[in-house]
Amino acid sequence: MAKIDEEALVEAYNRALELEKAGDIDAAVEAYRRVLEIDPEDHGGAAVRIASMGRGEAPPKAPDAYVETLFDQHAEGFEDILVEQLGYAVPVMVRQRLQELKLGPFKRMLDLGCGTGLTGGALRDMVDDITGLDLSENMVEIAHEKDLYETLYVAEVEDFLEDNDDEPFDLVTATDVLPYLGALEPLFFGAAENMVAGGLFIFSSEALPEGDARTYAVGPHQRFLHSPAYIRTRLADTGFELVEVTEINVRMQDGEPSPGHLVIARLKG
């Protein structure tokens, strides 16, 4: 990786943020493009911010460098922010739906984007063996300290699914992964390739506003939003059948709910 001029990057990024907050979208977009020139790997998520302002096409996913940096920085206070301040309760919802539908127990679970282990903790007594992975090393370290997982990896989700040769899983979860992905084919196909026939794939998504014809887009909070129709189509294309789709509030953002879905799908035999 080429050495980044940190001082120039900070100056350029702060200027872009100021212009965005001031509502000068054209100038902000140009400023973020300058940020990308200084830092092509995009640790600050400039490309996502440009898309969130409605300029250009949404990228297929958030840059790895951005996701890693974001979660490494927030690892220490992550659970307090997410659970206490933003009202995030998706892992508990997953447990409730599995119990209500009388699904489980499970032999092997893969927790994609495991973070600090919220989903692993919620399902620990329902699974014999849990593997977790996250792009943030700091997150994985905290998850490791909880002693919830038999195996933990620091890895990008799509890369792991493509390269993994461990035994297949009968439960795969991705409870806060889709907000950092646009195109879903690599995730869904990769999940299918790492599961046993009849295994369950459970994930949450944040929904595009009703009437929006796009398949996915970056929302105002720099998180990807998906069309339910797109999710259904891609699941069918990669060999899954729907078990249940539940409308949920994924989390609060600036005091407003983030509507979305909790999806349970089964890999067909």
Side-chain angles (χ1 to χ4, degrees):
M1 184 181 71
K3 185 173 176 58
I4 296 172
D5 185 336
E6 297 283 353
E7 188 174 334
L9 178 59
V10 170
E11 183 178 341
Y13 195 85
N14 286 341
R15 172 171 168 71
L17 278 176
E18 288 174 7
L19 290 165
E20 182 182 355
K21 289 176 182 176
D24 192 343
I25 303 303
D26 289 337
V29 169
E30 287 306 311
Y32 280 123
R33 286 175 178 154
R34 171 58 183 152
V35 170
L36 286 170
E37 290 175 4
I38 300 170
D39 176 22
E41 291 194 1
D42 198 8
H43 293 75
V48 174
R49 298 197 79 96
I50 290 171
S52 76
M53 292 186 286
R55 299 300 174 88
E57 292 186 11
K61 57 186 281 192
D64 290 349
Y66 164 61
V67 177
E68 181 179 3
T69 300
L70 178 68
F71 286 102
D72 273 348
Q73 289 176 342
H74 291 93
E76 274 311 317
F78 176 74
E79 290 189 16
D80 178 62
I81 294 170
L82 195 62
V83 177
E84 301 300 329
Q85 298 180 34
L86 301 181
Y88 176 79
V90 174
V92 175
M93 295 178 196
V94 171
R95 180 182 179 88
Q96 290 172 340
R97 295 316 305 148
L98 288 173
Q99 290 179 324
E100 183 72 21
L101 295 168
K102 295 181 170 55
L103 297 170
F106 303 93
K107 293 180 180 178
R108 283 174 51 77
M109 167 180 161
L110 176 61
D111 186 8
L112 301 172
C114 67
T116 57
L118 292 172
T119 300
L123 303 182
R124 178 64 269 188
D125 64 336
M126 300 176 71
V127 186
D128 292 338
D129 184 290
I130 308 181
T131 295
L133 69 113
D134 201 280
L135 194 54
S136 165
E137 185 173 353
N138 291 353
M139 290 285 200
V140 169
E141 286 178 359
I142 293 172
H144 174 71
E145 291 169 2
K146 293 182 178 181
D147 199 24
L148 294 168
Y149 297 83
E150 277 69 31
T151 310
L152 280 163
Y153 295 100
V154 177
E156 193 275 332
V157 165
E158 293 174 1
D159 290 344
F160 176 88
L161 293 173
E162 183 177 349
D163 297 337
N164 179 51
D165 57 4
D166 290 345
E167 289 180 41
F169 301 88
D170 58 345
L171 175 62
V172 175
T173 59
T175 47
D176 195 33
V177 173
L178 269 67
Y180 302 95
L181 298 175
L184 297 179
E185 294 90 340
L187 172 66
F188 289 3
F189 179 77
E193 288 291 291
N194 284 271
M195 294 175 66
V196 300
L200 295 182
F201 181 29
I202 306 178
F203 59 88
S204 58
S205 67
E206 295 184 22
L208 278 169
E210 193 171 338
D212 193 319
R214 293 174 292 181
T215 54
Y216 63 84
V218 180
H221 301 292
Q222 295 81 52
R223 291 164 63 83
F224 283 88
L225 313 176
H226 293 88
S227 155
Y230 173 61
I231 289 173
R232 290 171 182 268
T233 299
R234 288 297 172 261
L235 283 172
D237 290 346
T238 47
F240 290 97
E241 59 184 2
L242 279 174
V243 175
E244 180 181 79
V245 179
T246 307
E247 291 188 0
I248 63 171
N249 172 33
V250 178
R251 58 193 235 163
M252 302 300 291
Q253 195 75 51
D254 295 336
E256 297 292 329
S258 299
H261 298 91
L262 182 64
V263 180
I264 303 178
R266 180 179 285 110
L267 185 65
K268 291 185 280 189

